[in-house]
Amino acid sequence: MVRFISVKDMRELIKEEGLEDFFRQVLNFLEDDFVKWKIFRPKARIAEGLGEGTIELMPISDLRYYTFKYVTGYPKNLRWGKQTVTAFGVLADIFSGYPLLLSEMTLLTAIRTAVVAAISAKYLACRSSRSFGIIGTGAQSEFQVLAHYFFCGITDVYYYDKDERAMEKFARNLSAFDLRLHPLSSAEAVCKNSEIITTTTAVYAQQSVIKKEWIKEGTHINAVGGDAPNKTELDPALLESSKVVVEYLPQSQVEGEIQRADSSVVYAELWEIISYEKAGRTSREEVTLFDSVGFAIEDFSVLRLVHQLAEKRGLGQKLDLIANPCDPKDLFSLLI
Ligand SMILES: NC(=O)c1ccc[n+]([C@@H]2O[C@H](COP(=O)([O-])OP(=O)(O)OC[C@H]3O[C@@H](n4cnc5c(N)ncnc54)[C@H](O)[C@@H]3O)[C@@H](O)[C@H]2O)c1
């Protein structure tokens, strides 16, 4: 039987584990898998521009499991009261090919994206960074703040969204945490106040939400919202002058900020930094830039974690998804 983890189950699981503990377990699973990068067979995701958005399939396997995620990016959905990003995923046993887990992944995607950004900041940002800026306070934003709060020790959050209601929602959701919140009226003001910056806007255009001249020496940037062809957030001049780290170069060349630059601007893939094959930050002055688009290993890690925790807790529902005749050669018997 396949275990099914609904949104309700996921909420219950995270509540039971505790938000910070759950994020920490995600971080541990992600770092473990990034270090084991060479045993995976990475491939760029299959992305299709359909209607006014993108639908992507993100498969990967190691020596034990195969996973894939179905994920969408439809910024104009907000007009109809629907989300920009939605996702679900499957974890399967590679020895039988049988699926073991079918899980909601809209919440999981927000969490893993935030934790990966915080991992990049852990290795690339100045250790003394306490101010965090975020541009675009939509669905992903609070997750980004909390991952940097839990793992990078930020104390002050500077934020801007062109939608005032999104800023109010953001402040409400984060009011319970020990963070000083500073609403600002422009992306420029966010950049000028922050040592770590995340961009999480959602627009199908080659935007320059951040300009090079706004960025102070020593800043670390997580560019999260530019994650599809012709969907970018940064001034290309910033790519030329920063230490750029990507997840998986062949995918990032098509979907990341670096689609607007020559790939020679890329310093490393994130796994090389986490495995200490390449140095992270090497001076207080350099500007570091994580060009995040989301990679299949990140979904693999969270699906593996959720599978382990759900098995331990007996959480979720057993789904009758795969036909299971008594005699495996007698599939027809199920219809008699
Ligand atoms: N890199 C990854 O792994 C990854 C994972 C998930 C989502 N994403 C991307 O992150 C982005 C944010 O996702 P979301 O679910 O939060 O979307 P969302 O639609 O909920 O929020 C986006 C917010 O950006 C604001 N915005 C748009 N343009 C702006 C601008 N120029 N200045 C200030 N604010 C602006 C909008 O008003 C909105 O509040 C999307 O582009 C999504 O595709 C990336």
Side-chain angles (χ1 to χ4, degrees), residues 252-265:
S252 303
Q253 274 173 323
V254 179
E255 302 189 352
E257 294 300 327
I258 58 161
Q259 65 185 275
R260 293 173 89 184
D262 189 284
S263 60
S264 61
V265 300

Side-chain angles (χ1 to χ4, degrees), residues 78 84 112-113 138-140 161-162 201-202 224-225 227 231 292-294:
L78 295 172
T84 298
R112 70 75 155 142
T113 304
Q140 311 297 315
D161 193 297
K162 60 185 186 183
T201 66
V224 170
D227 59 354
K231 179 167 176 275
S292 159
V293 293

Side-chain angles (χ1 to χ4, degrees), residues 45 69 71-75 78 83-85 109-110 112-113 135-141 160-163 166 169 187 199-204 207 209 223-227 231 233 247 291-295 298:
R45 63 187 167 203
K69 180 171 82 171
V71 61
T72 62
Y74 278 75
L78 295 172
Q83 296 173 101
T84 298
V85 177
T109 295
R112 70 75 155 142
T113 304
I135 302 163
T137 58
Q140 311 297 315
S141 59
Y160 167 68
D161 193 297
K162 60 185 186 183
D163 172 8
K169 172 262 345 181
T199 51
T200 40
T201 66
V203 179
Y204 266 96
Q207 305 184 96
V209 174
V224 170
D227 59 354
K231 179 167 176 275
E233 295 179 302
E247 287 143 314
D291 181 8
S292 159
V293 293
F295 188 58
E298 298 154 17

